[in-house]
Amino acid sequence: MTKRLSNPGSNALYQVELWGLKLVVALFRALPLDPASAMMGWLWKKIAPLTYRHKRALGHLEMALPELEPADREEILRGMWDNLGRVAVETFHIPELLKQPERLELVLDEGSQAVFDTHAPCLFVSLHCGNWELSVLPAVLNRFPMAGVYQALKNPGADQLLRDMRGDLYPGGLFSKGPETARKLMALAKNKSAYIAIMADLKEKRGLDITFFGQKATATPVPATLARSGNLPIIVGRVSRLEGVRFRVEGRLLPVPQTADRKADIQAATQAYHDIFEQWIREDPKQWMWIHRKWA
């Protein structure tokens, strides 16, 4: 049997992409964190509105918040692009951020605080808000062996580089989405040895139907499934940018139903954390990533 070779052109393109990414990382790591963040935020705010993604985000914003004036929507998206540019650079400085906990303001409800105090196995469910990369930072500072789930990049070299940058945030490992990862996470949940972080606000083609901003959307059932299977608490979290490179990290304990109807329990929990997401986004819509194709 002849072994199928990968496309040489793709490999060459991947190398060019990887070296370009390494150059950008080196450039922005050479700059102090605060001006580097501000510079990239400014660049994204100027350039990104010229792309097709801006038009898509405007459509999503108009659908979700129709009561806003067009000028208000544009202002929200300028804030969104500024935030996204900052997040891109701040990812390069994660080791530095880990050494500066004074940049974080931690706000936990009573239930979440109890989980932190006892180091109980749990699930962290968050959304692309503020600098979402830091949503697990309080857990890491408390020495939780967090594991994360992420969407792998097509370029294997770039994927590994970005995985390495996030390594300090996920001492329990980073797992790309897929059937094998789902089986590993289920085993952890059932063995009560899970400290798992999942970004749950993305569209899931084969996910559950939910309501989000009054519209039909789809959502991953994985967090609710893991929590119910392992009888684990869910901490719903968000990161809000306060000013510059300073953040508030919030945690809210979400009870997961445990009834005779497993399917209904998972549906209810999934809708419940999306209701929290919607509440938070409405409070400060500039902080969320409106370019997501969340809606069905």
Side-chain angles (χ1 to χ4, degrees), residues 44-202:
W44 277 52
K45 189 163 56 175
K46 295 296 182 182
I47 297 172
L50 304 177
T51 69
Y52 72 93
R53 291 176 183 267
H54 186 79
K55 185 176 180 180
R56 179 201 299 168
L58 273 176
H60 292 163
L61 194 52
E62 183 176 4
M63 178 184 64
L65 299 173
E67 69 276 11
L68 295 180
E69 295 294 330
D72 295 329
R73 296 188 192 111
E74 288 286 356
E75 179 63 22
I76 286 170
L77 293 190
R78 281 194 292 271
M80 179 197 74
W81 289 123
D82 176 73
N83 180 67
L84 292 182
R86 286 174 174 273
V87 171
V89 164
E90 289 159 2
T91 301
F92 308 155
H93 288 265
I94 285 174
E96 183 179 343
L97 284 167
L98 281 171
K99 297 175 182 177
Q100 299 179 30
E102 66 276 8
R103 291 183 182 270
L104 290 180
E105 174 187 322
L106 184 58
V107 181
L108 301 176
D109 69 1
E110 185 176 350
S112 297
Q113 186 63 59
V115 172
F116 273 85
D117 291 343
T118 61
H119 279 224
C122 59
L123 287 163
F124 280 67
V125 177
S126 191
L127 72 165
H128 290 83
C129 182
N131 188 333
W132 60 89
E133 299 283 4
L134 304 179
S135 60
V136 298
L137 190 51
V140 175
L141 294 175
N142 279 277
R143 301 186 183 279
F144 282 35
M146 295 301 302
V149 180
Y150 81 109
Q151 182 65 55
L153 300 178
K154 292 182 180 179
N155 185 325
D159 182 69
Q160 187 61 52
L161 179 61
L162 293 176
R163 281 169 55 93
D164 291 343
M165 289 181 192
R166 298 181 173 106
D168 290 337
L169 292 175
Y170 298 100
L174 269 171
F175 302 96
S176 62
K177 292 181 179 179
E180 185 60 32
T181 290
R183 286 190 286 270
K184 289 180 181 178
L185 296 181
M186 185 61 74
L188 289 173
K190 290 184 175 180
N191 291 333
K192 304 284 187 172
S193 56
Y195 296 90
I196 303 168
I198 300 176
M199 304 301 297
D201 59 333
L202 297 177

Side-chain angles (χ1 to χ4, degrees), residues 22-42:
K22 286 183 175 180
L23 179 62
V24 172
V25 171
L27 172 64
F28 280 96
R29 275 183 171 170
L31 296 173
L33 173 56
D34 291 277
S37 173
M39 181 187 300
M40 187 63 93
W42 181 86

